[in-house]
Amino acid sequence: MDIDNKVSFPDLLGLSETDPEFVALFKQFAFQEVPKDLPFSLDERRYYLATLAVLVGSQGLEAYKELLPVALDNGVKAVEVKEMLYQAVAYLGLSRVYAFFAPTNTIFTNQGTSLPLASQKNTKNQTRLEAGEEAQIAIFGDQMKGFATKGEPDVRHINKWLVDNCFSDYYTRSSLDYAERELADILLPLFSRGL
């Protein structure tokens, strides 16, 4: 990924004027070194989406607001951002993600996106558990069969919630594939702990 030709970097709070050395250091690290050193390859759209997930996980609201329009101008779709936010609630909790919804909606409407976006739901309430189990099996293998009913009785409901909420309510939705959701799932909780 070549930062000078492909990746637009937002002028976070005017730092290009006041702290040009920092901006140069950050751009070098975040948009040249990190993509080069990753053990996998991300295209530009996925790199922006992953960066937005990191900002949500680390509670970087101001940087998120600056980067979101740049991400949208560089291939990330509004529906993909919304899917990442919706799924973030399953991993971070509503209290940590709530503050990201209003600025996201404002940026979308300022760029001409009509809200609400088209539904991405692919399951019915009656089939949530089965659809969630299918998603878990597709990602983790056959050992996930019956996961919702496994475990000690006093915590078994948590396994059920993972299957019908996390995997059915979010993973079965359209717009992000399993790999993109897994990438966000790794980054969201990881950076919420300050790593």
Side-chain angles (χ1 to χ4, degrees), residues 20-36:
E21 280 186 283
F22 168 75
V23 170
L25 290 170
F26 185 79
K27 284 172 70 172
Q28 161 68 31
F29 177 71
F31 293 106
Q32 285 183 342
E33 190 173 340
V34 170
K36 184 182 86 169

Side-chain angles (χ1 to χ4, degrees), residues 20-62:
E21 280 186 283
F22 168 75
V23 170
L25 290 170
F26 185 79
K27 284 172 70 172
Q28 161 68 31
F29 177 71
F31 293 106
Q32 285 183 342
E33 190 173 340
V34 170
K36 184 182 86 169
D37 291 346
L38 287 174
F40 50 85
S41 177
L42 290 178
D43 61 26
E44 207 174 333
R45 181 186 65 79
R46 283 184 172 177
Y47 191 76
Y48 275 113
L49 190 61
T51 304
L52 291 171
V54 166
L55 292 171
V56 171
S58 65
Q59 299 296 279
L61 182 58
E62 293 304 314

